[in-house]
């Protein structure tokens, strides 16, 4: 039987024509025999080649052929050494007069591109590193400048004379000798309770070492009663003759506000800063006169109420606005002017404006730094604000005024962290979660009140000390809610059992010891504001040594 054998490949450039060790034409052997077929690759490129071996066999006649197809697939690899051995090859196109690039040229081009890529990446990394270093240096310098500015303000204020006498500690005493123990009420022990609050109880011989450590810290950071060092410098008068505070008790607030009245056409309302159920605070301007008689615009905050307010709510609003009327101090923000006419329109009460507005809102914005706040407050800055609160309250107490509602919501702050205490007008409406009614038809700041104010409505400078301790806690937590899990109706029993707010995270033990001293059950055992001022000034100075 004759046979014919043919070979077919799918990619002649990757594989040469296959060859067999027998002839392509002949007779089929009568005995079993083996033949071989070579599939030679060209090694010029990487490819997968399909090979078809076709064998035609004639069985009965030369015109009757039977075809057998053997298919196989082979992978051919490129040999990179061919170009190096043969040098530059030429294009297989006979009409081409240009030499084709060799494999070595291609490898060199690839290596050059890789080198350029790595160089570009390295340069970019160096630039990013330099920018990061520059930003870090700028941030550190700004922080140092800010801390230095606060320190200069503190140093200046501490050197200024006040209307009281200052007790000086002999210069030959050391710092440890100058500090004396805290009053007995600061010797407290701390026990964790199931609700993560803290209970304060008198020390016992079985106190733990941690309780003793807290007691020692509390004893270290209070000093004997010393008259305050606040400054008497004040803000410029809006109108002459109002710098003497007046007793507003039993006096119609409209008569008091008439003394600083201003025409309505001189007031321009801007955007709303805070809004409650019936109260609103606007950012606006007023047209006022300077010392030479010229007129200029002044940015102010304007408090007013809506038409939904009842007459008794209007009366309370005006009465509270008069609380700080006529007081001039750098840490007090009294009423500046008022417009009560025409009678059929709601009154407009004008106050000095600050760049950052309400302190509680400012602290909450700093806590949510991803919302765009450009402040990252540190402990020294928070202590600096607490010191300003003390100075403002001291000034009020010298004027025989008890604030009764000391809290961050009733403070304003400037861009340089200058702080001013304001009255509590509209606070019940703008911060409803901070006030509660205990069945006596009166909304009160229950969680800021001292135990005697809560039970017997008795207010004194000592009750302001208690409220300052809660305000200091607000500062250290950046505006969180005190006693958030305690029912307002259970607050009196809770405090009488000795429980207090837990120590804030990242709050130094020294500051929490100050808070604990402010929350003594007996008002006589609480520290004076003069003691608190000396304590926080010393702590502020100590913090400055490590910045």
């Amino acid at each position: 039987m004759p046979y014919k054998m043919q070979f077919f490949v799918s990619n002649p450039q990757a594989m040469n024509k296959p060859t067999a060790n027998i002839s392509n034409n002949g007779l089929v052997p009568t005995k079993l025999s083996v033949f071989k077929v070579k599939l030679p690759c060209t090694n010029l490129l990487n490819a997968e080649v399909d090979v078809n071996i076709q064998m035609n066999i004639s069985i009965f006649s030369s015109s009757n052929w039977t075809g057998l197809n053997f298919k196989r697939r082979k992978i051919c690899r490129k040999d990179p050494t061919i170009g190096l051995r043969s040098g530059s090859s030429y294009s297989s196109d006979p009409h081409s007069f240009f030499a084709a690039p060799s494999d070595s040229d291609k490898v060199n081009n690839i290596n050059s591109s890789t080198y350029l890529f790595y160089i570009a990446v390295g340069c970019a990394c160096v630039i990013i590193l330099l920018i990061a270093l520059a930003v870090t240096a700028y941030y550190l310098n700004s922080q140092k400048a800010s801390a230095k500015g606060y320190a200069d303000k503190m140093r200046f204020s501490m050197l200024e004379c006040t209307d009281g006498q200052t007790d000086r500690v002999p210069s030959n005493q050391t710092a440890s000798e100058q500090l004396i123990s805290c009053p007995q009420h600061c010797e407290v022990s701390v026990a964790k309770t199931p609700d993560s609050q803290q209970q304060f109880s008198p020390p016992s011989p079985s106190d733990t070492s941690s309780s003793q450590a807290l007691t020692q810290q509390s004893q270290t950071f209070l000093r004997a009663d010393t008259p305050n060092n606040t400054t008497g410098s004040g803000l410029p008068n809006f109108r002459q003759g109002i710098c003497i505070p007046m007793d507003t008790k039993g006096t119609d607030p409209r008569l008091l506000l008439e003394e600083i009245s201003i025409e309505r056409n001189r007031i321009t309302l801007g955007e709303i800063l805070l809004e409650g159920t019936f109260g609103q605070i606007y950012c606006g301007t007023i047209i006022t006169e300077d010392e030479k008689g010229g007129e200029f615009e002044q940015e102010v905050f304007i408090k007013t109420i809506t038409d939904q307010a009842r007459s008794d709510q209007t009366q309370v609003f005006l009465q509270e606005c008069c609380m700080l009327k006529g007081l001039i101090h750098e840490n007090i923000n009294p009423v500046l002017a008022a417009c009560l006419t025409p009678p059929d329109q709601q009154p407009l009460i004008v106050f000095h404006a600050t760049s950052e507005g309400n302190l509680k809102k400012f602290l909450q914005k700093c806590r949510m730094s991803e919302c765009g706040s450009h402040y990252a407050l540190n402990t020294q800055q928070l202590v600096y604000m607490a010191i300003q609160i003390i100075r403002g309250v001291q000034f009020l107490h010298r004027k025989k005024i008890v604030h009764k509602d000391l809290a961050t919501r009733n403070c304003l702050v400037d861009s340089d962290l200058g702080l001013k205490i304001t009255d509590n007008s509209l606070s019940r409406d703008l911060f409803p979660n901070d006030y509660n009614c205990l069945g006596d038809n009166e909304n009160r700041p229950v969680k800021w009140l001292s135990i005697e104010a809560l039970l017997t409505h008795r207010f004194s400078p000592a009750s302001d000390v208690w409220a300052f301790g809660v305000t200091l806690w607000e500062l250290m937590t950046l505006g969180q809610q005190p006693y958030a899990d305690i029912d307002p109706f259970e607050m009196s029993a809770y405090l009488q059992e000795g429980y207090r707010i837990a120590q804030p995270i990242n709050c130094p033990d020294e500051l929490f010891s100050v808070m604990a001293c402010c929350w003594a059950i007996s008002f006589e055992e609480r520290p004076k504001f003069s003691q608190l001022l000396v304590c926080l000034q010393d702590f502020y100075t100590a913090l400055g040594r490590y910045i």
Side-chain angles (χ1 to χ4, degrees):
M1 292 183 295
Y3 72 89
K4 295 181 181 179
M5 187 166 54
Q6 295 178 326
F7 302 95
F8 303 94
V9 294
S10 62
N11 192 344
Q13 294 181 353
M15 178 181 292
N16 294 323
K17 187 175 181 181
T19 59
N21 61 348
I22 59 174
S23 62
N24 291 341
N25 297 312
L27 297 175
V28 178
T30 56
K31 296 180 180 181
L32 180 63
S33 62
V34 178
F35 68 95
K36 297 180 180 180
V37 177
K38 292 183 179 181
L39 304 177
C41 293
T42 61
N43 296 327
L44 296 179
L45 70 160
N46 297 324
E48 191 175 83
V49 183
D50 293 327
V51 180
N52 186 14
I53 303 174
Q54 188 179 56
M55 183 173 289
N56 296 323
I57 300 174
S58 178
I59 300 177
F60 300 107
S61 65
S62 59
S63 61
N64 187 9
W65 292 88
T66 300
L68 299 176
N69 292 314
F70 302 93
K71 294 183 178 180
R72 182 179 173 183
R73 181 172 296 171
K74 182 175 181 180
I75 297 176
C76 293
R77 298 293 184 184
K78 179 180 179 181
D79 186 358
T81 61
I82 292 179
L84 297 176
R85 292 196 303 267
S86 60
S88 298
S89 60
Y90 292 90
S91 173
S92 59
D93 185 2
H95 301 286
S96 176
F97 293 93
F98 299 96
S102 64
D103 292 337
S104 61
D105 294 335
K106 296 178 180 179
V107 172
N108 292 334
N109 290 336
I110 294 175
N111 291 338
S112 299
S113 300
T114 304
Y115 295 150
L116 291 176
F117 173 75
Y118 286 131
I119 291 173
V121 171
C123 293
C125 292
V126 171
I127 293 174
I128 293 174
L129 179 61
L130 292 176
I131 294 175
L133 291 175
V135 172
T136 303
Y138 174 77
Y139 175 77
L140 293 177
N141 289 334
S142 62
Q143 289 293 100
K144 290 181 180 179
S146 177
K148 182 179 180 182
Y150 301 143
D152 292 341
K153 290 181 181 179
M154 288 287 299
R155 191 178 302 111
F156 177 77
S157 298
M158 292 169 65
L159 291 176
E160 285 187 328
C161 295
T162 62
D163 38 33
Q165 296 295 327
T166 303
D167 296 336
R168 297 296 180 183
V169 180
S171 59
N172 57 356
Q173 293 185 0
T174 63
S176 60
E177 292 172 343
Q178 293 175 8
L179 296 176
I180 69 172
S181 62
C182 179
Q184 184 180 0
H185 64 271
C186 286
E187 299 178 2
V188 294
S189 62
V190 181
K192 290 291 183 179
T193 59
D195 55 358
S196 299
Q197 302 292 336
Q198 294 185 353
Q199 181 179 16
F200 295 86
S201 58
S204 63
S206 61
D207 282 344
T208 62
S209 59
S210 61
S211 301
Q212 295 171 358
L214 179 58
T215 301
Q216 293 172 0
Q217 290 166 356
S218 300
Q219 291 174 346
T220 302
F221 272 83
L222 282 183
R223 191 180 283 182
D225 191 6
T226 305
N228 61 79
N229 295 330
T230 55
T231 175
S233 60
L235 299 172
N237 293 344
F238 168 73
R239 186 164 296 192
Q240 296 180 355
I242 65 169
C243 60
I244 300 176
M246 302 180 63
D247 186 8
T248 62
K249 294 182 180 180
T251 307
D252 186 358
R254 292 182 179 272
L255 296 179
L256 297 176
L257 294 175
E258 282 291 341
E259 301 174 4
I260 52 173
S261 63
I262 186 175
E263 295 81 3
R264 190 173 291 265
N265 58 9
R266 289 179 172 267
I267 302 176
T268 302
L269 298 179
E271 62 176 341
I272 295 180
L273 299 179
L274 294 174
E275 185 174 15
T277 304
F278 63 86
Q280 297 171 329
I281 298 181
Y282 288 86
C283 179
T285 59
I286 62 171
I287 300 176
T288 184
E289 296 180 356
D290 56 19
E291 297 178 354
K292 298 180 180 180
E295 293 185 348
F296 67 96
E297 282 192 351
Q298 179 180 354
E299 291 187 1
V300 293
F301 290 157
I302 304 167
K303 292 185 179 181
T304 187
I305 52 179
T306 63
D307 295 334
Q308 286 73 31
R310 303 189 306 268
S311 58
D312 59 327
Q313 292 173 330
T314 304
Q315 186 72 10
V316 171
F317 166 62
L318 297 177
Q319 186 72 40
E320 292 174 343
C321 288
C322 294
M323 184 180 73
L324 305 181
K325 175 181 175 293
L327 299 180
I328 303 299
H329 188 270
E330 62 179 350
N331 299 123
I332 299 295
N333 191 38
V335 58
L336 183 64
C339 178
L340 306 178
T341 56
D344 58 337
Q345 296 189 22
Q346 297 298 347
L348 302 178
I349 311 300
V350 180
F351 295 82
H352 286 281
T354 59
S355 57
E356 296 297 336
N358 185 270
L359 177 58
K360 183 167 186 173
K361 296 292 185 181
F362 172 74
L363 293 174
Q364 293 173 346
K365 184 173 65 173
C366 292
R367 173 154 46 96
M368 309 297 289
S369 57
E370 65 272 11
C371 294
S373 172
H374 57 283
Y375 283 99
L377 298 177
N378 56 39
T379 302
Q380 190 181 38
Q381 292 170 324
L382 295 172
V383 172
Y384 173 69
M385 288 192 284
I387 290 173
Q388 295 180 81
I389 294 177
I390 292 177
R391 289 176 178 156
V393 177
Q394 279 186 315
F395 178 79
L396 294 181
H397 289 179
R398 288 200 301 272
K399 301 300 181 181
K400 310 301 181 182
I401 297 175
V402 178
H403 193 283
K404 300 182 182 180
D405 196 0
L406 188 61
T408 58
R409 62 181 171 271
N410 292 324
C411 296
L412 302 176
V413 63
D414 260 320
S415 58
D416 61 350
L417 301 185
L419 192 140
K420 300 179 186 297
I421 300 174
T422 186
D423 56 60
N424 62 340
S425 55
L426 297 185
S427 293
R428 294 177 180 82
D429 184 49
L430 300 177
F431 299 93
N433 294 331
D434 293 355
Y435 293 85
N436 302 99
C437 181
L438 302 182
D440 52 2
N441 199 26
E442 180 183 0
N443 272 338
R444 296 188 292 165
V446 173
K447 298 180 179 180
W448 280 260
L449 293 181
S450 63
I451 187 67
E452 69 273 7
L454 194 58
L455 295 176
T456 63
H457 294 73
R458 183 173 59 184
F459 292 92
S460 66
S463 62
D464 278 351
V465 170
W466 180 296
F468 171 77
V470 183
T471 304
L472 183 57
W473 187 92
E474 286 187 276
L475 287 172
M476 299 310 299
T477 59
L478 298 181
Q480 292 187 14
Q481 192 76 5
Y483 302 101
D485 300 328
I486 307 303
D487 188 276
F489 288 91
E490 300 175 358
M491 275 299 299
S492 59
Y494 189 82
L495 296 177
Q496 285 179 308
E497 291 175 2
Y499 292 98
R500 300 293 185 269
I501 327 174
Q503 181 172 353
I505 299 175
N506 297 328
C507 174
D509 294 338
E510 295 84 354
L511 284 182
F512 185 65
S513 298
V514 173
M515 300 178 200
C517 292
C518 296
W519 299 328
I521 287 292
S522 174
F523 68 91
E524 296 177 348
E525 294 178 348
R526 295 171 203 154
K528 304 295 189 294
F529 273 107
S530 54
Q531 291 176 288
L532 295 173
L533 178 63
V534 172
C535 169
L536 293 186
Q537 283 178 340
D538 289 346
F539 188 57
Y540 179 92
T541 304
L543 289 173
R545 298 192 186 105
Y546 302 100
I547 296 180

